[in-house]
Amino acid sequence: MTAGIAASTLIIAGASVALTTGVATADTATCAVTSHDTKKDISTVGITHVYDKTASAEQIGVGTTVTYTIVVGTTSIGNPYVNTITDYPPTGFAAPVKTTITAYHAIGGQKEETVTPEPNAGGWKVTSTGWFVNSGNPVTMKITYNVPASVKQGQMITSGGIGVAGTVGVGASFPNLTACFTARAANPGESVQGSLSNNGLGSSDGQLSSTGSVTDILTGVLKNVIPGS
């Protein structure tokens, strides 16, 4: 019954508003990898809604991928339903290569699912009949883009904001909810095998992560460069 009532009060709030995107250079901006905002006004009926956007790393290799994590939640009572999340990538970025939504399900709790985003006024949106949100169960969108080869090393890349729609109170546009990373040269293996976080090199100085090893990466490189190796 609650879901039915919530669905009947869904509103479109900022789901199709074009937000400003851009590429900032090192001498004109400060690069913050994450940003946070809240919404508490008459429309939220005393409930505080929270919004976060974070880039996958502070430094990311040119030609690899960046994943933006968007979280919509609440820190107090209430259970809004979110039906649309729109991400606005940096200027010049092509369509996302992967998108997932993690949300609460009556059976199984929090589950991650792969979804297909659609273009929306310069951004990319994912829609649903309504993702349930409460203080212990936010809805999380992860959206991955290729970092264009045209990006220069040392350039700070700032995304656009986000748009959210849902039941009364939770929907809004957040043009300043941005995430920034600094472009760098790709580490060995990244340009051949994919993104940094998925292939064993966990930082710009070549430290290892738990997902791979230097041996694994070099083996992959050799197989691509020398057939039969």
Side-chain angles (χ1 to χ4, degrees):
M1 182 181 295
T2 302
I5 295 173
S8 67
T9 60
L10 290 175
I11 62 171
I12 301 300
S16 60
V17 177
L19 304 184
T20 301
T21 62
V23 177
T25 57
D27 59 350
T28 61
T30 300
C31 197
V33 72
T34 187
S35 57
H36 172 80
D37 207 341
T38 62
K39 186 170 186 281
K40 184 178 181 180
D41 55 27
I42 190 171
S43 71
T44 68
V45 196
I47 298 170
T48 300
H49 298 306
V50 294
Y51 308 81
D52 293 272
K53 182 173 182 177
T54 306
S56 50
E58 292 182 353
Q59 296 187 358
I60 297 177
V62 175
T64 66
T65 60
V66 57
T67 298
Y68 296 104
T69 300
I70 298 166
V71 181
V72 180
T74 177
T75 59
S76 50
I77 62 173
N79 56 340
Y81 281 79
V82 174
N83 71 354
T84 305
I85 300 176
T86 301
D87 177 59
Y88 294 88
T91 299
F93 277 44
V97 295
K98 182 179 181 180
T99 308
T100 65
I101 288 286
T102 300
Y104 177 81
H105 293 70
I107 299 177
Q110 287 273 335
K111 293 182 180 179
E112 182 179 60
E113 301 174 304
T114 299
V115 293
T116 302
E118 300 177 350
N120 184 31
W124 295 90
K125 70 176 181 179
V126 173
T127 59
S128 167
T129 54
W131 296 296
F132 172 85
V133 174
N134 65 16
S135 59
N137 293 286
V139 57
T140 301
M141 175 181 175
K142 291 185 177 182
I143 187 163
T144 301
Y145 303 89
N146 288 320
V147 178
S150 58
V151 170
K152 298 179 181 179
Q153 297 177 32
Q155 193 173 8
M156 293 196 295
I157 309 300
T158 301
S159 75
I162 70 168
V164 178
T167 48
V168 175
V170 74
S173 296
F174 297 91
N176 296 321
L177 198 73
T178 61
C180 176
F181 67 90
T182 302
R184 57 162 175 77
N187 283 322
E190 284 186 305
S191 59
V192 174
Q193 294 187 318
S195 69
L196 176 66
S197 60
N198 292 332
N199 293 285
L201 291 181
S203 70
S204 60
D205 59 7
Q207 295 176 355
L208 297 181
S209 73
S210 60
T211 58
S213 68
V214 171
T215 300
D216 294 335
I217 294 169
L218 293 179
T219 299
V221 173
L222 289 174
K223 286 182 178 180
N224 283 275
V225 176
I226 307 173
S229 62

